[in-house]
Amino acid sequence: MFALESKDILKVKLLPNELHQLVEESINDGFRHLIRLVNEFQAGTNRFDKQGEALFIAYAGNQIVGICGLNQDPNSQEGSTGRVRRLYVSKDFRGLGIGRLLIGEVIKEARIYYRTLVLRTDNPIADKFYCSLGFEVSAKDVYITHYLQLVKYDSI
């Protein structure tokens, strides 16, 4: 059994060249959000490089097996909300906790900048996954299906 650890999750500034395999797999799996991630990154419209933003890659050896981003929520009026973006784990590596590790890194980063973390999904499996991590279902906003209240720690 292969096990990843948090040391296998890297915060990156640029998209690695090896991402194309994961993008192709996601397309074949019926998901278009990774190709949108690449297109937006190349166009400069979303590079996960604003304050409070980050992009995390999960590696199994030299192979990229997962990805997840954190953006400022564009719908937040006061800037206190972060948004989970583009979570995807390779089919061969699902069920091994990689998604949890990726979201864990996103949450850790988000706690520095935000009070709330939000996301939107229409996938029932993703709904169960996010709820298992403590996210609550939101029915009050068309752009948000789940949210998580974060505790911000001030340095002592």
Side-chain angles (χ1 to χ4, degrees):
M1 183 76 143
F2 188 82
L4 261 65
E5 301 172 8
S6 59
K7 68 175 179 58
D8 299 310
I9 309 294
L10 300 179
K11 183 176 171 181
V12 298
K13 296 285 185 197
L14 295 172
L15 285 181
N17 292 331
E18 307 90 352
L19 194 60
H20 63 276
Q21 270 188 295
L22 199 64
V23 171
E24 287 300 315
E25 178 186 315
S26 71
I27 291 169
N28 292 335
D29 204 18
F31 298 106
R32 306 227 5 107
H33 62 289
L34 287 193
I35 192 66
R36 285 195 298 270
L37 179 147
V38 170
N39 290 341
E40 290 170 355
F41 197 93
Q42 289 173 342
T45 57
N46 186 6
R47 292 207 169 149
F48 299 91
D49 59 356
K50 296 177 185 167
Q51 180 161 335
E53 296 189 341
L55 184 63
F56 296 93
I57 305 279
Y59 286 90
N62 292 329
Q63 181 183 357
I64 295 174
V65 297
I67 191 167
C68 190
L70 170 65
N71 282 133
Q72 298 172 359
D73 183 43
N75 304 307
S76 173
Q77 300 297 329
E78 66 279 344
S80 64
T81 304
R83 188 171 198 86
V84 176
R85 300 299 304 264
R86 315 295 191 215
L87 174 63
Y88 186 81
V89 175
S90 176
K91 285 174 114 172
D92 293 340
F93 290 85
R94 291 181 190 157
L96 301 175
I98 296 167
R100 286 182 182 277
L101 287 170
L102 284 162
I103 291 294
E105 292 299 314
V106 166
I107 291 171
K108 195 181 329 178
E109 185 79 12
R111 281 192 170 124
I112 299 168
Y113 301 98
Y114 306 112
R115 290 191 307 245
T116 307
L117 191 56
V118 299
L119 63 98
R120 176 164 171 56
T121 184
D122 58 3
N123 183 317
I125 294 169
D127 168 62
K128 280 178 133 175
F129 170 72
Y130 288 115
C131 288
S132 78
L133 295 172
F135 282 80
E136 296 182 48
V137 175
S138 173
K140 59 185 176 183
D141 191 319
V142 68
Y143 300 108
I144 299 169
T145 58
H146 297 77
Y147 69 95
L148 179 68
Q149 295 298 331
L150 303 171
V151 177
K152 289 178 80 171
Y153 297 98
D154 294 327
S155 58
I156 297 174

